[in-house]
Amino acid sequence: MSHLIKLIFNGKEYEVSSGVLKNVVKELGMNSKIVGGKIENKIVDLFYESNDGEQIELFTIDSPQAMELYRHTMAHIMAQAIQRLYKDAKFAIGPTIENGFYYDIDLPEKINEDELMRIEKEMRKIIEEDIPLEHFVMKSEEAIRFFEEKGQPYKVELIKDLGTDTMSIYRQGDFTDLCRGPHVPSTGLVKNFKLLSVSGAYWRGDERNKMLQRIYGTAFYRREDLDAYLKMLEEAEKRDHRKIGPQLDLFSLHPDVAPGMIFFHPKGAVVRRELEKFWREEHIKAGYVEVITPMVMNENLWRRSGHWDHYRDNMYFTEKEGQAYAIKPMNCPGHIMIYKTSSHSYRDLPLRMCELGTVHRYERSGVVHGLFRARAFTQDDAHIFCTQEQIESEIVGVIKLIDKTYKLFGFPYKVELSTKPDDAMGSDEIWEVSTSALKSALEHLGMEYQVNEGDGAFYGPKIDFHVRDSIGRTWQCATIQLDFLMPERFDLNYTGSDNVEHKPVMIHRVIYGSLERFIGILIEHYAGAFPTWIAPVQTIVLPISEKHVKYAQKIKKQFEDFGIRTEVDGRSQKISYKIREAQLKKIPYMLIVGSREMEANSIAVRIRSGKDLGSMKTHEFIERISEEIKNRYQKSIFEVK
């Protein structure tokens, strides 16, 4: 009996005998640039052993699908170069990541920038050698002996922990690695790369283990794509919120006092309050009620919710009077307790409950990163309790609110649907109903989305929204999670129209994600130059000399009477210096006042961009800027009208 597979390439179908993909492609005399294939959502290389009845879509080295193979091979080339240069190198793991790859390595020497250049040089030699890759399977016992002889203890530990009979091995010349793949057939197929940085990384992410050196790199098939990415990284470094935030006096970090926690200064608090104000306005319009729940709650609550089993390593605990408590890592159990305080009818649903709730999560010190990855942060959380029949309309409403929010900041976005993970709680039937409901809502709105298999929360599937900033980076912010499980665990009920008790469905959602992280994204998106409505200081009055300071103070008072955040720079400095200082502080408008302005009861207006608007009556400018602030324009009203 013949074993057939279906190959698809350039829209054509080929039905051929199954076997190693490399041999099958060769038999057909197909394009020599083919490096792999896609089976449903899985990417495979040419070493893949195809099975009867499979349908495989082939792709070439210049295809977007090939980047996983391209970068994974580049990680092995880097490891091979390090093996040649450092005889005592011990290798841990070397996966691909978004836009690149890394390898964790145990080395006695500290890798610096000069060493990275040396490694790059050796990598180019390996690429020029065009070494073919080989794939084979080794029995676990044999693989353990092999890597023990090579002096690779991390590989031995991985093999023992995997606990399977056989191991997947890749070899390129003098370098052999424990690896599932996929890879391109030869080192000569990958050319455009750059090693970026070195950081510390605990083995297996456990701070009790040894600190390894993690070497990051990036790679692209086309040179122009690599150059564009490196230029973006250069721009991102200039926009780093950890530099701009303190420079603009928005926040500070004090790792010796509160590691992973943010100290917002008055100006940073203004930005935060403006985000909260917009959030509250829109949630009131959308029919939400705001609640506030305790920061510390009994440990038993977290056991019942499932967080104890799935999340306790990331939680903070305390004990008083013989009672164990947890500092909340999430707001949902608190909202559930509010729901349980009274009986509910189907007429009460949907109940949309929202909270700007501060949570604490223990993040390892190696991953804490400014506002982006903190241990204490405020989520713009909401939980909707509804009937099964209301799921689609409620999710549609949430998506519309997300869309309105992101349009305000000029963020385009893409959508991902994440499905059942390995550690999921609840029946397959519940998961199927939940996932179908999310798909229906997305399709109702005609939204394009990608499926992210196995990345749902432990209690339900989710929709994630990834915004793209002004320099092309993407950030995961909003999420919508559907949950049938929590209402079961907490015995939540409502009385239906049939006068019988039913379980509500719980929808978890955030839009900003966390206020801290969203502020960090905005700082980098705008490079600190916030739109006027959110800017900590909206106008600054610059008197030309000391005799104009009193008039400047009068102007400041007029602006403040209209709720416009204003400062005066009354220092004895040249006006050109004051203008430059105001631009460095990213203040949207500079109002220059001298004798002429005093006589005419006017101001000379300059925009942060450098544009000079000339002389203007004070009341006229107040009217225009007030319109800009009220309507939350992205750009100056004088530049968009």
Side-chain angles (χ1 to χ4, degrees), residues 154-204:
Y154 301 103
K155 300 296 179 183
V156 171
E157 185 177 328
L158 287 170
I159 295 167
K160 289 178 178 178
D161 286 354
L162 284 168
T164 55
D165 294 333
T166 58
M167 292 291 141
S168 172
I169 308 290
Y170 280 81
R171 178 164 56 211
Q172 57 196 52
D174 56 1
F175 179 73
T176 304
D177 204 357
L178 174 73
C179 183
R180 289 178 298 185
H183 291 278
V184 298
S186 168
T187 63
L189 291 172
V190 292
K191 300 184 186 302
N192 301 308
F193 73 97
K194 178 70 179 171
L195 298 188
L196 300 173
S197 61
V198 185
S199 67
Y202 291 109
W203 169 232
R204 298 195 139 178

Side-chain angles (χ1 to χ4, degrees), residues 194-229:
K194 178 70 179 171
L195 298 188
L196 300 173
S197 61
V198 185
S199 67
Y202 291 109
W203 169 232
R204 298 195 139 178
D206 190 334
E207 57 203 21
R208 293 167 297 186
N209 290 335
K210 187 170 184 179
M211 176 75 79
L212 308 178
Q213 294 187 72
R214 177 171 292 178
I215 304 177
Y216 287 97
T218 187
F220 290 85
Y221 177 73
R222 300 193 312 162
R223 180 74 206 185
E224 51 265 44
D225 291 337
L226 175 63
D227 291 342
Y229 182 70

Side-chain angles (χ1 to χ4, degrees), residues 494-530:
Y494 71 91
T495 304
S497 58
D498 55 3
N499 212 32
V500 174
E501 284 197 339
H502 300 270
K503 298 292 180 193
V505 178
M506 193 173 174
I507 299 171
H508 307 244
R509 50 113 289 208
V510 292
I511 297 177
Y512 293 143
S514 87
L515 283 170
E516 287 77 3
R517 186 167 178 270
F518 198 76
I519 290 169
I521 292 168
L522 292 181
I523 290 170
E524 299 200 1
H525 177 61
Y526 295 119
F530 295 112

Side-chain angles (χ1 to χ4, degrees), residues 96-111:
T96 58
I97 53 176
E98 186 178 7
N99 295 317
F101 58 91
Y102 69 79
Y103 218 118
D104 287 347
I105 302 162
D106 186 353
L107 275 173
E109 300 95 336
K110 180 73 175 173
I111 300 296

Side-chain angles (χ1 to χ4, degrees), residues 289-469:
V289 291
E290 187 172 358
V291 299
I292 301 171
T293 59
M295 188 82 71
V296 179
M297 290 180 270
N298 194 287
E299 183 183 288
N300 290 328
L301 179 74
W302 306 102
R303 290 181 182 273
R304 188 171 181 182
S305 70
H307 290 93
W308 179 265
D309 293 328
H310 293 263
Y311 209 73
R312 69 176 176 272
D313 289 345
N314 295 89
M315 294 170 66
Y316 290 91
F317 298 95
T318 187
E319 187 175 316
K320 291 291 180 184
E321 298 180 347
Q323 290 289 314
Y325 297 90
I327 301 172
K328 68 176 177 180
M330 296 177 188
N331 297 300
C332 32
H335 294 189
I336 288 169
M337 297 312 295
I338 293 175
Y339 183 91
K340 284 178 69 68
T341 57
S342 58
S343 58
H344 298 275
S345 158
Y346 70 96
R347 294 186 182 90
D348 303 325
L349 304 182
L351 173 57
R352 307 182 187 104
M353 205 180 290
C354 66
E355 177 178 13
L356 290 167
T358 299
V359 298
H360 288 72
R361 300 178 185 177
Y362 174 68
E363 300 283 3
R364 288 179 168 81
S365 56
V367 299
V368 168
H369 182 80
L371 300 181
F372 290 160
R373 197 76 177 264
R375 288 175 173 169
F377 52 92
T378 301
Q379 289 187 303
D380 64 314
D381 229 336
H383 294 92
I384 302 170
F385 301 89
C386 65
T387 68
Q388 286 201 34
E389 294 74 24
Q390 293 168 334
I391 291 173
E392 185 175 326
S393 62
E394 286 304 302
I395 292 172
V396 166
V398 173
I399 292 172
K400 287 181 178 178
L401 185 52
I402 291 168
D403 182 70
K404 184 174 185 179
T405 301
Y406 291 167
K407 280 180 177 172
L408 175 66
F409 300 101
F411 283 135
Y413 60 86
K414 65 177 183 177
V415 181
E416 280 185 359
L417 172 64
S418 298
T419 60
K420 184 179 180 182
D422 292 337
D423 66 344
M425 297 173 69
S427 68
D428 289 342
E429 182 182 358
I430 286 176
W431 275 86
E432 190 173 334
V433 170
S434 304
T435 306
S436 296
L438 294 184
K439 285 181 179 177
S440 295
L442 290 168
E443 288 162 7
H444 174 88
L445 290 169
M447 299 188 77
E448 292 184 9
Y449 65 92
Q450 293 179 330
V451 176
N452 194 1
E453 296 287 354
D455 201 39
F458 69 85
Y459 48 78
K462 62 177 181 171
I463 301 172
D464 290 326
F465 293 76
H466 300 260
V467 302
R468 190 172 75 248
D469 70 11

Side-chain angles (χ1 to χ4, degrees), residues 530-535 538 565 588-589 608 625 628-629 633 636:
F530 295 112
T532 303
W533 71 273
I534 203 174
Q538 294 167 323
R565 297 185 289 273
Y589 292 100
R608 175 172 53 199
I625 191 177
E628 179 181 335
I629 293 166
Y633 290 154
S636 165

